[in-house]
Amino acid sequence: MGNTFCVLFACVDQASIGVVERWGRFEKLAEPGLHLFNPFAGQWLAGVLSTRISSLDVRIETKTKDNVFVQLVCSIQYRVMKQHADDAFYELQNPKEQIQAYVFDVVRALVPRMNLDYLFEQKGEVAKAVLEELEKVMGEYGYSIEHILMVDIIPDAAVRKAMNEINAAQRLQLASVYKGEAEKVLQVKRAEAEAESKYLGGVGVARQRQAITDGLRENILNFSHKVEGTSAKEVMDLIMITQYFDTIKDLGNSSKNTTVFIPHGPGHVRDIGEQIRNGLMEASSAEVNIVEMLILKATASATDAESFLNGMKNVDPQSNGFSHRR
């Protein structure tokens, strides 16, 4: 800034301001354009200042209230005021160092009173405080502070890692809560569906048993009408005995070759009928279940029943099975 140009004329660029001296003393400011000087009268161009906005990035390391060391990157945008260009030319030897010193002073006085989280939230307040201080000080030296930008806040690497872990843990906790709520809703809906299914199943079983009962009653009545001299009780006994033999047949035809020993003989057949009748009388509450079992053969024809009765007449009481008499 202190260079002297001893020339007859000089051109000052646009967005610049020239400082003219006479015999080493400030005389005037030269606007952009062509200017003539009289070196014999001690007049010359002492220097040229740019009025463009300049940017200065300052990196400050300081400590927060909760003892976390952070680095702040602050960007200061400033320019020379035309009307005070002489102060900017003569007062400050190095304006960048001056600005940087004030930024350090303000930031290191303000940040230690903030917690780290609050600093991230209120970084605009820090920038505002720096701007107010620099405007007040640098304005006296012919500089205008246009903007202060708090570009970045960089905590220590270990602190950043811990903050990320805390954030991840909080998100996992929230996810667990939502997952638990979803499982709760799923279990409630599953229980409601199971209850509805059981209810509908019970309705179906009740209708099935009603149909079995109606069908069995109809078959017994039809059989009684077709075979004269038979009562409903005798038809019921015949159906139960037929069901008994069919059950034995099904056991023998089963694909799982399971051996079942059942006492068998004419006396046993009679006992089976008596046992079934006694069971019906003693367990009337289970009558519907027995009817379900008997309905499988309730449609047996009258011819089969008569054949069975004729066969019973040929049973040898002394034997353990059935045989034809000669």
Side-chain angles (χ1 to χ4, degrees):
M1 296 180 181
N3 295 332
T4 302
F5 303 93
C6 296
V7 293
L8 294 175
F9 59 89
C11 183
V12 178
D13 296 333
Q14 183 66 32
S16 299
I17 191 74
V19 179
V20 181
E21 293 181 350
R22 182 183 293 272
W23 302 117
R25 185 176 181 179
F26 172 74
E27 183 181 32
K28 64 177 181 178
L29 296 174
E31 294 290 335
L34 181 62
H35 296 272
L36 297 177
F37 303 103
N38 186 2
F40 300 104
Q43 190 181 50
W44 58 77
L45 184 64
V48 178
L49 294 175
S50 174
T51 57
R52 295 187 179 94
I53 295 177
S54 300
S55 180
L56 174 64
D57 292 336
V58 181
R59 183 179 291 267
I60 314 109
E61 184 176 7
T62 184
K63 185 180 71 170
T64 61
K65 186 177 181 180
D66 48 354
N67 297 323
V68 177
F69 282 90
V70 294
Q71 288 187 358
L72 289 83
V73 180
C74 187
S75 179
I76 297 95
Q77 298 177 359
Y78 65 97
R79 71 194 310 171
V80 174
M81 295 184 292
K82 290 184 178 181
Q83 63 273 25
H84 299 292
D86 54 334
D87 293 332
F89 186 79
Y90 292 107
E91 295 294 335
L92 292 179
Q93 178 68 28
N94 193 332
K96 291 186 178 181
E97 290 185 358
Q98 187 76 9
I99 292 174
Q100 184 175 349
Y102 278 104
V103 172
F104 273 112
D105 182 67
V106 174
V107 171
R108 288 179 174 172
L110 185 61
V111 171
R113 292 181 290 177
M114 299 180 177
N115 292 326
L116 181 61
D117 294 336
Y118 186 75
L119 174 61
F120 276 99
E121 296 174 0
Q122 302 296 330
K123 66 177 184 178
E125 295 295 327
V126 179
K128 182 179 178 181
V130 174
L131 177 62
E132 292 176 353
E133 184 66 21
L134 287 180
E135 282 182 339
K136 181 175 62 177
V137 174
M138 298 303 296
E140 299 176 358
Y141 300 111
Y143 285 90
S144 172
I145 307 300
E146 301 295 328
H147 299 286
I148 300 291
L149 302 176
M150 197 61 61
V151 178
D152 201 2
I153 300 175
I154 308 172
D156 185 77
V159 177
R160 292 201 302 272
K161 182 179 179 181
M163 292 174 65
N164 291 334
E165 290 178 353
I166 292 173
N167 185 270
Q170 291 176 346
R171 293 182 180 275
L172 288 175
Q173 182 180 6
L174 185 61
S176 299
V177 172
Y178 284 125
K179 184 178 180 181
E181 291 294 332
E183 291 180 353
K184 177 182 177 181
V185 173
L186 183 62
Q187 290 180 359
V188 170
K189 293 300 181 182
R190 187 184 293 115
E192 291 177 354
E194 184 177 358
E196 184 69 16
S197 175
K198 289 182 178 179
Y199 170 76
L200 294 177
V203 172
V205 170
R207 291 178 178 176
Q208 180 187 23
R209 290 176 176 175
Q210 182 65 36
I212 291 172
T213 304
D214 295 341
L216 184 58
R217 182 175 61 253
E218 183 179 356
N219 289 332
I220 292 174
L221 293 176
N222 291 335
F223 191 88
S224 299
H225 293 322
K226 289 181 180 180
V227 181
E228 297 181 358
T230 58
S231 63
K233 178 178 178 301
E234 292 175 347
V235 175
M236 185 60 117
D237 293 341
L238 176 60
I239 292 174
M240 289 189 292
I241 296 300
T242 304
Q243 180 65 35
Y244 169 75
F245 285 109
D246 287 339
T247 303
I248 295 176
K249 180 180 178 181
D250 291 338
L251 289 175
N253 295 331
S254 175
S255 59
K256 300 179 181 179
N257 295 319
T258 304
T259 303
V260 180
F261 294 94
I262 300 176
H264 185 66
H268 293 105
V269 173
R270 184 170 54 254
D271 293 339
I272 290 170
E274 294 178 356
Q275 291 174 8
I276 293 175
R277 286 193 298 271
N278 293 334
L280 290 174
M281 296 175 62
E282 294 175 358
S284 58
S285 61
E287 182 177 356
V288 179
N289 293 329
I290 296 175
V291 172
E292 288 181 359
M293 180 183 69
L294 297 180
I295 193 58
L296 298 176
K297 294 301 178 179
T299 58
S301 64
T303 304
D304 294 337
E306 291 179 358
S307 298
F308 172 76
L309 293 175
N310 293 330
M312 290 293 291
K313 296 177 180 180
N314 297 325
V315 174
D316 186 359
Q318 304 300 324
S319 63
N320 243 356
F322 293 92
S323 64
H324 294 283
R325 293 182 181 178
R326 296 180 181 178

